[in-house]
């Protein structure tokens, strides 16, 4: 008996014999340990002197055919073109290992099925790509360097050329994409030179990206599409001075966990998306069940952004325990007419925002200029979005802008402490709640609302009232409830009301002993619309 060293008399027992035979021959092949492949031993150079693309991909294919395995990169520098991952494959980069990706555009041909800014296309092969794979991972303490400068420079060059200019890559893109469902505003899709994302798994399950540093991406950095069960942990993304190099962009994915990451990029740090315009609505696959926690966002247009490509819908998102420092905006949710889709069930909690250059919080349904139109599948919707326990400083505390035909709805702010030049501006919104809010702004009102219904302000104060300026300014606002505000600094005006549609304003239990004018009304306001209870 080769498999077991056992006493023959024990083996001759028929019951034991049958059990052992069952264990031996019924054990599935996946129970055996997968293989490790040292890429240097497989023939790749770690001296940075010659390309290892074929060796890396051949080794992946060999491991895949054997049931999977780990491709191990010892310390050193590797030159490579695009890599295609297969099921049950792990890339493991030892500390000190750097994969430098080719900046020769021809290396990323032939083009493959991809998605680019929410549009389904055939495009340059991503630097690391997987299609319909399961159980894939990129791990370790090493670095992936996309060497994106050449891609960035060529992107900028195209803007200086007429749209009729066609490079060989643009010609190939046009050839491969004759039936693309174009967005309302085509931008680079129309020009036909769409830089590849760095890591783009498509239709994959069970993805782990852990520990590595990623730098100099040609375009979006980690961009899973139509994937499920994704864990991105302890990853550093650094793309300095670069166009459209978002950090982590799950798109039309579900069950995504992003944690303990540090991101500093040339666009948005983390962005959640689900397709653009008619193409996104046709696929109709939402991004859902997303958690972002314990991350630090440094530099970028937005720390965490939802949209503007959200046509398939975005829902069930939590963002917590993060630090945003030096980004243009903190939390930004954006869309426009033509997108369609619904953003809903969003919770943002325990965020420190420092030195935010524009808005700490921005919800904007008017991202691109457009004319009012009837509500249809083209109309986006934002609802049930909640912010709590946010502190720091920004140029503007908040900006909420809905559409005339469909307002932003069910937005709440609880325990917000911000120093800012400007306070909150709200327009075309409904069911907006503020509770326990301190905004220390130096220009304008703390909260200014226009064309808004059902707004409640409970426990608002500022330490920096602006001379001859109201704390709260309501214009064409219906059904406002202002309660428990404690304005204990010398203040000229507490509440200003304007607009012929303003009605049903109720003030109760406010401490306004330091306020010169409690309510200032313009001539447009009906004198009987206010109820005050001290």
């Amino acid at each position: 008996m080769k498999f077991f060293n056992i006493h023959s008399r024990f083996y001759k027992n028929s019951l034991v014999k049958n059990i052992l035979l069952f264990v031996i021959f019924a054990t599935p092949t996946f129970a055996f340990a997968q293989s490790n492949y040292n890429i240097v031993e497989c023939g790749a150079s770690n001296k940075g002197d010659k390309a290892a693309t074929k060796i890396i991909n051949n080794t992946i294919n060999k491991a895949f055919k054997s049931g999977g395995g780990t491709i191990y990169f010892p310390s050193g520098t590797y030159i490579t073109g695009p890599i295609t991952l297969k099921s049950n494959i792990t890339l493991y980069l030892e500390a000190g290992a750097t994969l430098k990706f080719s900046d020769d555009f021809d290396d990323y041909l032939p083009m493959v099925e991809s998605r680019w800014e929410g549009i389904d296309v055939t495009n340059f092969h991503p630097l690391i790509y997987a299609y319909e794979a399961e159980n894939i991972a990129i791990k370790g303490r090493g670095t992936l360097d996309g060497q994106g400068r050449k891609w960035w420079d060529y992107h900028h060059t195209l803007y200086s050329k007429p749209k009729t200019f066609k490079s060989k890559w643009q010609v190939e893109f046009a050839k491969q994409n004759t039936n693309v469902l174009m967005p309302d505003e085509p931008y680079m899709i129309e020009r036909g030179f769409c830089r590849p994302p760095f890591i783009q798994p498509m239709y994959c399950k069970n993805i782990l990206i852990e520990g590595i540093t990623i730098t100099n991406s040609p375009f979006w950095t980690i961009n899973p599409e139509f994937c499920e069960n994704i864990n991105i942990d302890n990853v550093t993304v650094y793309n300095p001075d670069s166009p459209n190099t978002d950090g982590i962009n799950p798109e039309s994915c579900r069950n995504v966990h992003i944690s303990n990451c540090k991101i500093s990029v040339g666009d948005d740090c983390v962005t959640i998306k689900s397709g653009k315009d008619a193409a996104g609505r046709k696929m109709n696959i939402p991004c859902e069940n997303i958690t972002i926690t314990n991350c630090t966002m440094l530099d970028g247009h937005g720390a965490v952004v939802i949209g503007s490509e959200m046509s398939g819908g975005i829902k069930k998102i939590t963002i917590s325990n993060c630090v945003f420092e030096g980004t243009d905006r903190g939390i930004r949710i954006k869309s426009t007419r033509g997108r369609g889709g619904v953003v809903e069930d969003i919770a943002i909690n325990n965020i420190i925002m420092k030195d935010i250059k524009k808005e700490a919080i921005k919800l904007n349904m008017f991202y691109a200029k457009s004319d009012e139109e009837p509500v249809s599948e083209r109309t986006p919707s934002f609802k049930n979005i909640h912010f709590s326990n946010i502190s720091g400083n920004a140029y503007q505390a908040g900006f909420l802008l809905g559409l005339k035909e469909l307002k932003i709805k069910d937005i709440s702010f609880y325990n917000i402490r911000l120093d800012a030049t400007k306070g909150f501006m709200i327009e075309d919104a409904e069911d907006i709640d503020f509770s326990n809010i301190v905004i220390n702004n130096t220009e304008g009102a703390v909260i200014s609302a226009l064309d808004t219904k059902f707004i409640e302000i409970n426990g608002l104060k500022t330490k920096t009232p602006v001379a001859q300026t109201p704390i709260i300014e309501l214009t064409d606002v219906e059904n406002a409830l202002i309660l428990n505000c404690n304005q204990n600094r010398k203040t000229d005006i507490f509440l200003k009301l304007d607009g012929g549609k303003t009605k049903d304003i109720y003030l109760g239990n406010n401490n306004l002993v330091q306020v010169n004018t409690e309510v200032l009304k313009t001539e447009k306001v009906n004198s009987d619309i206010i109820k005050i209870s001290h």
Side-chain angles (χ1 to χ4, degrees):
M1 185 69 182
K2 295 181 180 180
F3 297 101
F4 297 92
N5 182 18
I6 56 177
H7 195 279
S8 60
R9 209 170 34 175
F10 179 73
Y11 179 70
K12 287 179 182 178
N13 180 292
S14 60
L15 178 59
V16 174
K17 178 180 178 180
N18 288 336
I19 292 173
L20 288 172
L21 289 174
F22 177 83
V23 170
I24 293 166
F25 294 109
T27 301
T29 56
F30 60 72
F32 295 101
Q34 291 182 326
S35 300
N36 292 319
Y37 298 82
N38 185 317
I39 200 68
V40 173
E41 293 177 0
C42 293
S45 170
N46 64 348
K47 307 298 183 185
D49 54 351
K50 56 183 178 180
T53 312
K54 288 184 179 179
I55 294 171
I56 293 170
N57 285 305
N58 287 343
T59 304
I60 289 171
N61 288 331
K62 180 181 177 181
F64 170 68
K65 290 176 182 178
S66 299
T70 296
I71 316 301
Y72 172 67
F73 292 82
S75 178
T77 300
Y78 304 83
I79 305 299
T80 184
I83 294 172
T84 302
L85 286 178
K86 303 291 182 68
S87 291
N88 306 315
I89 298 297
T90 294
L91 300 184
Y92 189 93
L93 282 66
E94 183 181 74
T98 299
L99 270 64
K100 285 193 171 183
F101 285 79
S102 167
D103 61 3
D104 184 341
F105 303 162
D106 289 338
D107 287 344
Y108 298 89
L109 302 174
M111 294 182 173
V112 297
E113 184 176 338
S114 183
R115 205 185 212 190
W116 201 89
E117 289 196 347
I119 305 298
D120 304 288
V121 294
T122 299
N123 192 35
F124 285 117
H125 193 296
L127 280 60
I128 298 178
Y129 182 67
Y131 191 89
E132 294 184 348
E134 296 185 5
N135 308 322
I136 57 176
I138 306 171
K139 300 172 61 178
R141 303 300 297 173
T143 299
L144 301 174
D145 185 349
Q147 298 199 103
R149 176 63 62 183
K150 188 175 175 182
W151 294 98
W152 308 336
D153 289 346
Y154 195 81
H155 165 80
H156 288 308
T157 298
L158 284 179
Y159 282 101
S160 66
K161 294 180 179 293
K163 286 187 177 181
T164 53
F165 170 81
K166 297 296 178 185
S167 66
K168 63 179 181 180
W169 306 291
Q170 292 167 289
V171 170
E172 180 63 17
F173 183 89
K175 178 181 175 183
Q176 296 292 334
N177 292 281
T178 55
N179 296 316
V180 167
L181 192 54
M182 297 290 278
D184 290 353
E185 296 171 334
Y187 297 126
M188 294 307 295
I189 292 282
E190 184 180 44
R191 286 185 178 270
F193 184 86
C194 300
R195 293 162 287 153
F198 204 132
I199 300 172
Q200 188 179 64
M202 296 192 67
Y203 303 102
C204 294
K205 293 182 179 180
N206 306 331
I207 301 165
L208 174 63
I209 303 175
E210 181 181 62
I212 60 171
T213 294
I214 310 172
T215 189
N216 297 321
S217 178
F219 184 58
W220 293 354
T221 307
I222 301 175
N223 179 215
E225 299 278 359
F226 312 109
C227 294
E228 186 173 349
N229 299 339
I230 304 165
N231 192 351
I232 303 170
D233 183 63
N234 197 28
V235 169
T236 297
V237 180
Y238 182 62
N239 298 320
D241 304 319
S242 50
N244 316 113
T245 54
D246 297 30
I248 301 173
N249 291 27
E251 188 164 8
S252 296
C253 294
R254 68 190 310 266
N255 304 335
V256 181
H257 303 273
I258 300 168
S259 57
N260 306 309
C261 294
K262 178 182 176 182
I263 304 173
S264 180
V265 293
D267 206 322
D268 297 323
C269 296
V270 174
T271 306
I272 303 168
K273 300 176 181 288
S274 65
K276 186 174 184 179
D277 297 345
R281 295 196 299 274
K282 179 181 178 182
M283 295 299 286
N284 194 31
I285 299 177
C287 211
E288 60 182 333
N289 304 348
I290 315 295
T291 65
I292 302 166
T293 189
N294 299 339
C295 293
T296 302
M297 317 298 188
L298 304 171
D299 297 321
H301 293 174
V304 178
V305 177
I306 295 174
S308 69
E309 301 91 338
M310 39 64 70
S311 301
I314 293 171
K315 56 187 177 180
K316 293 173 286 184
I317 313 294
T318 68
I319 304 162
S320 64
N321 303 329
C322 292
V323 174
F324 305 159
E325 184 172 0
T327 57
D328 288 351
R329 296 175 176 91
I331 299 291
R332 186 182 191 188
I333 304 176
K334 57 183 179 178
S335 188
T336 192
R337 294 182 178 100
R339 294 283 191 270
V342 179
V343 174
E344 61 183 340
D345 304 330
I346 316 294
I348 299 102
N349 182 43
N350 288 353
I351 308 293
I352 301 294
M353 301 190 190
K354 297 296 290 184
D355 301 327
I356 305 301
K357 298 181 180 68
K358 296 182 180 179
E359 300 90 357
I361 297 166
K362 184 168 187 177
L363 279 62
N364 183 11
M365 297 178 70
F366 205 72
Y367 183 58
K369 291 182 179 180
S370 58
D371 296 327
E372 186 175 346
E373 60 182 55
V375 174
S376 70
E377 65 172 8
R378 290 171 41 86
T379 310
S381 173
F382 294 174
K383 59 185 180 180
N384 197 24
I385 302 169
H386 307 289
F387 300 84
S388 60
N389 301 313
I390 294 173
S391 64
N393 67 293
Y395 173 73
Q396 184 167 15
F399 179 91
L400 281 65
L401 179 60
L403 299 174
K404 295 294 182 185
E405 63 269 28
L406 190 63
K407 298 180 183 296
I408 293 172
K409 292 183 179 181
D410 299 315
I411 315 297
S412 72
F413 302 90
Y414 172 75
N415 198 24
I416 310 295
R417 300 286 190 275
L418 290 169
D419 295 333
T421 302
K422 296 184 177 182
F424 273 88
M425 194 288 289
I426 304 160
E427 184 175 351
D428 288 314
E430 186 172 329
D431 290 312
I432 310 299
D433 293 338
F434 290 91
S435 181
N436 195 23
I437 307 295
V438 179
I439 305 296
N440 300 315
N441 58 301
T442 57
E443 294 180 11
V446 176
I447 295 176
S448 175
L450 172 65
D451 287 324
T452 294
K453 296 181 179 180
F454 303 105
I455 181 170
E456 180 174 331
I457 301 171
N458 190 340
L460 170 71
K461 67 178 179 180
T462 179
K463 298 177 183 178
T464 58
V466 180
Q468 303 303 314
T469 302
I471 302 299
I472 301 169
E473 184 170 9
L474 306 179
T475 303
D476 290 324
V477 168
E478 301 179 31
N479 295 289
L481 188 61
I482 303 170
L483 304 170
N484 303 312
C485 298
N486 180 20
Q487 191 51 42
N488 56 10
R489 298 315 203 266
K490 289 285 186 181
T491 302
D492 290 324
I493 307 166
F494 177 69
L495 172 64
K496 179 181 178 181
L497 300 175
D498 194 6
K501 293 189 292 184
T502 296
K503 66 178 182 178
D504 298 329
I505 310 298
Y506 178 87
L507 284 76
N509 198 35
N510 298 295
N511 180 3
L512 306 178
V513 293
Q514 297 283 9
V515 176
N516 292 333
T517 303
E518 189 170 329
V519 179
L520 175 65
K521 296 181 293 183
T522 70
E523 65 278 1
K524 297 179 182 178
V525 178
N526 186 319
S527 60
D528 297 328
I529 66 171
I530 303 167
K531 296 179 180 180
I532 300 175
S533 175
H534 293 290

